[in-house]
Amino acid sequence: MNESLNEEIAKLKKERNAVVLAHNYTRAEVQDAADYTGDSLELARRATQVDADVIVFCGVYFMAETAAILNPEKTVLIPDPSAGCPMADMITGEQLRELKAKHPGAKAVCYVNSTAEVKAECDMCVTSGNAEKVMKTFAPDQEILFVPDQHLGGHISGMLGRTYTLWPGYCPTHQAITPAGIAAARAAHPGAPVLVHPECARPVRETADHALSTGGMCKFARESDAKEIIVGTEVGILHRLRKENPGKLFYPVNERMVCPNMKKTTLENLAAALREMKTRVTVPEDISVRARRAIEAMLAIG
Ligand code: 13P
Ligand code: SF4
């Protein structure tokens, strides 16, 4: 079954001059069918570099939207347009406009996990892979409104010794990690370093050894001497970690770390997307132009 779908996907990719990008959390078979797998930053960058007419984005909607904003001349498809990110939907453009009105002079910064409408209201975008580097470029006394993830915003402001106004958004999947869960994983695998995503709450980050983007976790796994690593993020990343590091063992903090939206892309709907050229992701021109400024400002820094 997978074999014939893989053959069809490979054939359609050629016919359509298409490239398939997949996030590190997608299903194993989708990652294997993709041309590139990566974190949000790597995929946003890759979207600007591909020489293809069509980009099929296997991930959640804001990621495909970011690719569409960066490539207005390309056709960007998402296999299941209902694959949203609940965190991205925790703030609307209207709510951000109201917040900005209360803080004249503040710079608005959005985590890439946000809608195009919210990005259009922002001065800067960040991902978990570049947030520290990007946020360092603001003067220490610059007032910052950070949306929507309170945890990534708190992580970076804490590291830089600054205070941001944080929107109370969060990732429901990363809420499932607790300090007690990390303690149990450490007890089961003594000596293994613990990696968590910066979307985890502060007590979790403080209990872990490193808070890293999914791309940062892949790099850590490659470069570390550790033979066993405990991973505190969505379990889809385990496929890539194990594939790239056959001599090492990776343990999830818990098996409940599943983002249901990331699992919506299947080989079936990926093949259908290429076959039927659906579902196209478009962003209204006025929003796209303003959102692109915040994303390009980020890409220019790192
Ligand atoms: P990364 O950019 O680290 O891959 O994170 C994306 C995401 O949605 C994490 O939940
Ligand atoms: Fe959004 Fe969390 Fe899923 Fe990432 S893991 S896409 S932040 S819901």
Side-chain angles (χ1 to χ4, degrees), residues 23 25 39-40 111 113 128 174 197 199 213-214:
H23 187 266
Y25 293 162
D39 68 10
S40 310
Y111 185 22
N113 296 38
S128 54
H174 286 87
H197 199 274
E199 286 174 15
S213 70
T214 61

Side-chain angles (χ1 to χ4, degrees), residues 40-41 44 62 66 87 108-114 119 122-138 144-149 152-154 156 160 164 197-199 213 291 293-299 301-302:
S40 310
L41 178 61
F62 77 81
T66 303
M87 181 208 281
V109 178
C110 58
Y111 185 22
V112 71
N113 296 38
S114 54
K119 288 187 178 79
C122 288
D123 301 283
M124 183 63 83
C125 181
V126 298
T127 77
S128 54
N130 65 9
E132 184 186 1
K133 188 171 176 189
V134 172
M135 295 312 291
K136 268 188 187 159
T137 64
F138 288 105
I144 300 286
L145 311 176
F146 193 99
V147 304
D149 187 13
L152 177 65
I156 302 300
L160 300 182
Y164 300 159
H197 199 274
E199 286 174 15
S213 70
R293 268 187 238 138
I295 302 167
E296 284 182 343
M298 163 186 91
L299 292 176
I301 297 167

Side-chain angles (χ1 to χ4, degrees), residues 25 60 62 85-87 113 171-174 199 234 259 262:
Y25 293 162
V60 290
F62 77 81
C85 166
M87 181 208 281
N113 296 38
C171 164
T173 301
H174 286 87
E199 286 174 15
E234 212 275 351
C259 172
M262 284 286 185

Side-chain angles (χ1 to χ4, degrees), residues 6-75:
N6 278 324
E7 275 170 24
E8 185 185 5
I9 290 165
K11 182 169 154 279
L12 287 166
K13 272 197 303 192
K14 274 202 196 111
E15 276 171 30
R16 308 283 191 211
N17 188 24
V19 71
V20 176
L21 306 183
H23 187 266
N24 291 325
Y25 293 162
T26 53
R27 293 170 185 273
E29 61 274 21
V30 170
Q31 294 188 34
D32 291 343
D35 297 289
Y36 302 102
T37 305
D39 68 10
S40 310
L41 178 61
E42 290 160 345
L43 295 178
R45 272 196 196 294
R46 187 61 72 180
T48 65
Q49 294 160 351
V50 293
D51 179 23
D53 298 319
V54 178
I55 297 174
V56 187
F57 209 107
C58 305
V60 290
Y61 201 84
F62 77 81
M63 297 180 175
E65 212 173 40
T66 303
I69 291 165
L70 290 170
N71 292 282
E73 75 295 348
K74 290 191 166 73
T75 301

Side-chain angles (χ1 to χ4, degrees), residues 25-281:
Y25 293 162
T26 53
R27 293 170 185 273
E29 61 274 21
V30 170
Q31 294 188 34
D32 291 343
D35 297 289
Y36 302 102
T37 305
D39 68 10
S40 310
L41 178 61
E42 290 160 345
L43 295 178
R45 272 196 196 294
R46 187 61 72 180
T48 65
Q49 294 160 351
V50 293
D51 179 23
D53 298 319
V54 178
I55 297 174
V56 187
F57 209 107
C58 305
V60 290
Y61 201 84
F62 77 81
M63 297 180 175
E65 212 173 40
T66 303
I69 291 165
L70 290 170
N71 292 282
E73 75 295 348
K74 290 191 166 73
T75 301
V76 177
L77 305 175
I78 186 163
D80 183 341
S82 77
C85 166
M87 181 208 281
D89 294 331
M90 286 179 187
I91 184 167
T92 63
E94 184 55 33
Q95 286 172 311
L96 180 51
R97 281 190 289 278
E98 283 168 16
L99 182 68
K100 282 165 56 175
K102 288 188 200 139
H103 296 265
K107 298 280 188 202
V109 178
C110 58
Y111 185 22
V112 71
N113 296 38
S114 54
T115 62
E117 199 197 352
V118 164
K119 288 187 178 79
E121 294 295 331
C122 288
D123 301 283
M124 183 63 83
C125 181
V126 298
T127 77
S128 54
N130 65 9
E132 184 186 1
K133 188 171 176 189
V134 172
M135 295 312 291
K136 268 188 187 159
T137 64
F138 288 105
D141 59 350
Q142 172 62 57
E143 185 183 2
I144 300 286
L145 311 176
F146 193 99
V147 304
D149 187 13
Q150 58 180 302
H151 300 306
L152 177 65
H155 178 58
I156 302 300
S157 58
M159 277 196 309
L160 300 182
R162 297 177 192 175
T163 304
Y164 300 159
T165 297
L166 302 173
W167 191 259
Y170 62 91
C171 164
T173 301
H174 286 87
Q175 292 276 95
I177 304 185
T178 59
I182 291 184
R186 281 198 199 276
H189 310 291
V194 178
L195 314 182
V196 297
H197 199 274
E199 286 174 15
C200 294
R202 183 173 169 177
V204 172
R205 298 194 310 269
E206 286 176 349
T207 315
D209 296 303
H210 305 279
L212 298 168
S213 70
T214 61
M217 290 182 187
C218 293
K219 185 168 184 285
F220 180 94
R222 271 195 305 277
E223 295 175 358
S224 165
D225 292 333
K227 292 277 175 262
E228 298 185 296
I229 298 176
I230 297 167
V231 182
T233 194
E234 212 275 351
V235 293
I237 196 176
L238 294 166
H239 173 67
R240 179 165 168 197
L241 289 170
R242 289 171 179 153
K243 195 169 151 182
E244 290 181 353
N245 304 278
K248 299 182 181 178
L249 295 172
F250 298 91
Y251 309 108
V253 171
N254 69 61
E255 300 281 356
R256 300 185 308 283
M257 296 288 300
V258 176
C259 172
N261 288 288
M262 284 286 185
K263 305 305 179 212
K264 286 186 177 174
T265 308
T266 60
L267 282 186
E268 282 82 359
N269 61 24
L270 169 55
L274 283 159
R275 200 185 307 126
E276 298 164 38
M277 291 294 280
K278 63 168 196 186
T279 296
R280 188 162 183 183
V281 177

